[in-house]
Amino acid sequence: MHSDIISGSYRGIDMKNLKNNIFMPLYFFFYNAAYCLSFGFIVSYLNMMGYESGYVGLVMTLCALLNMVVQPLFGYISETFVPTKYLMLFICGLAIPVGYFIPWSVGIPVIVAASVVLLALLEYPGFPISDMWSVKLGEHFGAINFGFVRSCGSLGYALAALLFGEIFDIIGLEYMFLFHAILHGITILTIIPISKVPLANKRDKTKEKSNISMLQALKILSHNKKYMMFLAGFMFINIGMRFVSSFYPVLIDLKGGTVGQMGTGIFLMALSEIPFIWGFNKYRKWFKIEHIMLFGLSMFTVRNLSMLLAPNVFWLQMAQLTQGLSYGVYVPSLVYYMSSITPKKITTTAISLIGGLVGAIAAVMGNFVGGLVMEAFGAYTSVKICVGLSTLGALIFFASLFVKKTEYEE
């Protein structure tokens, strides 16, 4: 142990990089907690303020449609022009006044919708670029355990859902954006000490190598068969995931539950992710990354089935534990699976495009159309459809395993 410390490391942790190992997990913790207070409770907040499910679904659809452009753009910017550290300082700094403005505009439908959309355009892109920031920190500075860092994000979301779900039961949802601002302020403080990483797609004048333009990146990805099949398969899965996530409060309400019980369910959902994300570095050594991804995607069908079959609020809450087997496996797998099938210069763009494009389509079908189907035929008919869609998506990904991988010169 003494020799380890002298050499600058202790149990795998580079002492020179200690602040990255401390502040990156804290950053993920507080960013996810802040996000929970905005989009974890936004449907309940808008419903409480008198907005109908159809209108709320339309607002959430607009968030995803605009992010179809903004999220890949943020990903490209973080690889080409602005280091992720500075981009996240900008995002968190602007999210504070934008979020705090929502309660002031809630009486004007168009203005409150614009405020929610703007907040989504800021907070949604933060996840894929943060994931790649953590991975690249490990590549450049060493000793960053991505599984542990990402699990801290799930823990932050889980504790925020549990704690503030109970608090809002007592004081009301009117104060959610005050706490949202405080948490983003703390997030900014955690970002400052973290190291920035070199731009992956920066033009190298010394080697006369140009960067990949946004249009070139899109063309490269569109000709990658494995990538496009993943995009198609996850689109079907994400439709169901988006519906059950956005309208989970409605399912709780149908069973006679409260905001506090909804918060408990969200807590269990996020908590279930932690062991699968935290342990990712271990089981990644035992199985091929594509097989891990197949397992995670297949479990979305199990998740939807558990929601469908839950007879009461308690079992609806327990159904949230399947989030770990599905989303908890998918999240860390995505970064490494995309790194294995796309050029390193545009991996962040590839991941951001999945969130933006698939998120937009899933929002239209899962939020807006799903909201209309729910109002016409009931919530559980919609969940049955989601079971079929998630099964189809997993089968498409399974078929992609037999497609030859596209090789690139780095």
Side-chain angles (χ1 to χ4, degrees):
M1 183 180 75
H2 181 67
S3 61
D4 285 341
I5 295 174
I6 291 175
S7 65
S9 67
Y10 175 63
R11 292 187 178 178
I13 297 178
D14 185 349
M15 301 301 284
K16 295 179 181 179
N17 190 34
L18 185 59
K19 65 179 182 180
N20 287 336
N21 284 281
I22 293 173
F23 288 100
M24 180 57 81
L26 288 174
Y27 157 62
F28 268 72
F29 181 94
F30 286 107
Y31 186 77
N32 277 265
Y35 178 80
C36 176
L37 289 196
S38 53
F39 290 97
F41 291 92
I42 193 65
V43 171
S44 295
Y45 177 77
L46 293 176
N47 284 336
M48 184 190 72
M49 292 300 174
Y51 291 97
E52 295 181 356
S53 296
Y55 185 80
V56 175
L58 177 61
V59 172
M60 302 308 292
T61 300
L62 288 173
C63 291
L65 285 174
L66 292 175
N67 259 302
M68 180 170 61
V69 176
V70 174
Q71 191 158 307
L73 182 61
F74 270 57
Y76 183 76
I77 289 172
S78 72
E79 290 178 312
T80 311
F81 301 112
V82 182
T84 304
K85 174 177 179 174
Y86 301 137
L87 195 56
M88 289 309 304
L89 285 171
F90 167 78
I91 286 173
C92 295
L94 192 55
I96 292 174
V98 171
Y100 205 68
F101 182 70
I102 291 175
W104 295 93
S105 63
V106 75
I108 309 173
V110 175
I111 302 299
V112 74
S115 301
V116 172
V117 169
L118 180 56
L119 185 60
L121 295 181
L122 291 169
E123 292 190 337
Y124 284 13
F127 291 100
I129 64 178
S130 295
D131 286 346
M132 284 307 300
W133 185 20
S134 176
V135 171
K136 289 176 181 178
L137 270 179
E139 292 175 353
H140 288 282
F141 300 100
I144 294 291
N145 185 327
F146 174 70
F148 171 71
V149 168
R150 197 59 176 77
S151 66
C152 287
S154 296
L155 181 61
Y157 192 98
L159 292 178
L162 180 66
L163 176 63
F164 288 101
E166 296 299 326
I167 290 175
F168 295 149
D169 258 352
I170 299 171
I171 66 174
L173 286 166
E174 295 90 343
Y175 296 94
M176 61 185 275
F177 287 105
L178 171 61
F179 292 106
H180 171 264
I182 293 171
L183 289 172
H184 263 311
I186 298 173
T187 303
I188 290 173
L189 295 178
T190 65
I191 293 174
I192 294 172
I194 303 174
S195 303
K196 67 176 183 179
V197 296
L199 297 170
N201 192 34
K202 185 178 181 180
R203 182 179 181 181
D204 191 339
K205 296 181 180 179
T206 60
K207 297 180 179 179
E208 297 184 350
K209 287 186 177 181
S210 60
N211 58 14
I212 300 174
S213 70
M214 186 68 177
L215 288 177
Q216 287 174 325
L218 294 176
K219 184 177 180 180
I220 289 170
L221 294 173
S222 68
H223 286 83
N224 186 321
K225 292 182 180 179
K226 291 182 84 71
Y227 180 80
M228 294 304 295
M229 290 184 74
F230 179 88
L231 204 66
F234 190 62
M235 177 191 69
F236 290 113
I237 292 171
N238 205 22
I239 291 171
M241 183 173 70
R242 187 61 65 94
F243 176 86
V244 297
S245 297
S246 296
F247 294 99
Y248 173 64
V250 176
L251 298 177
I252 284 286
D253 185 63
L254 288 173
K255 298 296 184 182
T258 65
V259 173
Q261 289 175 314
M262 182 193 74
T264 301
I266 295 175
F267 166 75
L268 293 173
M269 176 186 72
L271 191 68
S272 71
E273 298 174 3
I274 295 174
F276 295 96
I277 296 177
W278 195 338
F280 175 74
N281 279 8
K282 289 188 177 181
Y283 62 79
R284 182 165 66 94
K285 299 174 183 177
W286 303 338
F287 306 101
K288 292 182 178 180
I289 188 62
E290 56 265 33
H291 295 162
I292 297 173
M293 178 63 79
L294 177 62
F295 175 82
L297 296 182
S298 300
M299 287 299 105
F300 280 100
T301 297
V302 176
R303 172 163 168 69
N304 291 336
L305 275 172
S306 66
M307 299 276 280
L308 178 66
L309 300 175
N312 51 44
V313 172
F314 172 78
W315 285 109
L316 194 55
Q317 290 174 321
M318 291 299 102
Q320 304 316 301
L321 294 174
T322 57
Q323 176 84 351
L325 292 167
S326 53
Y327 194 72
V329 173
Y330 159 78
V331 167
S333 301
L334 178 66
V335 174
Y336 289 91
Y337 180 69
M338 286 296 123
S339 296
S340 72
I341 66 170
T342 62
K344 291 182 179 180
K345 284 187 174 183
I346 58 171
T347 298
T348 305
T349 304
I351 295 173
S352 298
L353 183 62
I354 291 170
L357 180 61
V358 173
I361 297 172
V364 172
M365 300 303 296
N367 285 341
F368 184 59
V369 176
L372 296 177
V373 171
M374 182 182 67
E375 290 181 354
F377 303 103
Y380 286 95
T381 297
S382 300
V383 177
K384 289 177 183 178
I385 295 172
C386 293
V387 170
L389 292 174
S390 60
T391 303
L392 176 60
L395 289 173
I396 292 174
F397 179 75
F398 176 72
S400 76
L401 300 183
F402 301 95
V403 175
K404 185 178 179 181
K405 184 171 74 172
T406 305
E407 300 294 338
Y408 298 100
E409 292 185 9
E410 299 293 350

